[in-house]
Amino acid sequence: MSVLRLTCSPRGADSESYRLSQSLIDGLVRSGAECARHVVEIDANRLTHVDAEYARALGSPTAPDGEPRGSLRQSDRLIQSLADADHVVIATPMHNYTVPSALKAWIDHVVRVRSTFSVTREGKIGVLADRPVLVAVSSGGLFSGPDARQPDFLTPYLKAALATIGLKNLVFFSVEGTAMGGQALEAARARARADIATYFATCRRQPAALSAQGSSHASS
Ligand SMILES: Cc1cc2nc3c(=O)[nH]c(=O)nc-3n(C[C@H](O)[C@H](O)[C@H](O)COP(=O)(O)O)c2cc1C
């Protein structure tokens, strides 16, 4: 049993999104989730982009024969670590209204035809078993609520991309407005801590919530 944490900020463990993701992992530990004893760490900034072998393999009508070559090997490993995880925690900043390129690189490796989804006449069907995906987002400005003055392509994109492979149980937590600093940032952090406490309190009252279907945004 394990938790997979994907760190997507170029600032790694010094980042706001990583700190927020640590509060989520601490919450899992306190909630007694067995899987939280073993956290598998992936730094998305160390991933290479998909290469020509990968693009050829995915672009052809049938799966390639023989041993996987090029970035197909990295893709296999990333898919296996995702399939093995009971919970997924994604720590990500917002970059230009959406996911940073490091997170997009991971998505390109794990959202893979004939491996994690199949194409049918009805559309793309996910292959992975659903499980909770807790997403810790940090942004310089606000992207949710009435005072947001920028579009949010991050949360709808991540929901659509991961739903493609069968992961539909996403819960978003956020520290927004980090560029404001000072008291505004402290207040944003306090709201995120409160959202996390509410989430785990709900999970304690209704343990099924930890594996419930659907996606939501926990931040206020
Ligand atoms: C390349 C780049 C693009 C960014 N684009 C946005 C953006 O579109 N909206 C926003 O609110 N903040 C944006 N920011 C600011 C970061 O989201 C913000 O500094 C965040 O707190 C960083 O989180 P981290 O510490 O987890 O990396 C951007 C930062 C960088 C480096």
Side-chain angles (χ1 to χ4, degrees), residues 94 97 137 143 152-160 170 172 217:
M94 171 179 274
Y97 313 136
V137 186
F143 66 83
D152 168 22
F153 296 113
L154 189 158
T155 61
Y157 170 68
L158 202 52
K159 283 179 201 171
L170 271 62
F172 289 89
H217 195 277

Side-chain angles (χ1 to χ4, degrees), residues 9-11 15-18 92-97 138-142 150 178:
S9 169
R11 299 199 300 144
S15 66
E16 188 74 38
S17 50
Y18 181 91
T92 182
M94 171 179 274
H95 280 179
N96 293 312
Y97 313 136
S138 170
S139 60
L142 308 180
Q150 63 180 337
T178 58

Side-chain angles (χ1 to χ4, degrees), residues 91-165:
T92 182
M94 171 179 274
H95 280 179
N96 293 312
Y97 313 136
T98 186
V99 298
S101 57
L103 177 50
K104 179 61 165 56
W106 179 80
I107 289 169
D108 287 344
H109 283 293
V110 300
V111 181
R112 180 170 151 192
V113 69
R114 293 185 293 270
S115 292
T116 52
F117 73 90
S118 30
V119 178
T120 72
R121 290 166 77 91
E122 285 72 43
K124 296 176 180 178
I125 308 285
V127 166
L128 296 185
D130 203 3
R131 69 209 73 199
V133 180
L134 307 181
V135 189
V137 186
S138 170
S139 60
L142 308 180
F143 66 83
S144 71
D147 296 327
R149 297 289 179 271
Q150 63 180 337
D152 168 22
F153 296 113
L154 189 158
T155 61
Y157 170 68
L158 202 52
K159 283 179 201 171
L162 296 186
T164 306
I165 60 176

Side-chain angles (χ1 to χ4, degrees), residues 68-81:
R69 289 198 297 263
S71 65
L72 285 163
R73 281 195 299 272
Q74 179 173 249
S75 169
D76 284 349
R77 283 196 296 273
L78 293 172
I79 289 171
Q80 192 60 55
S81 61

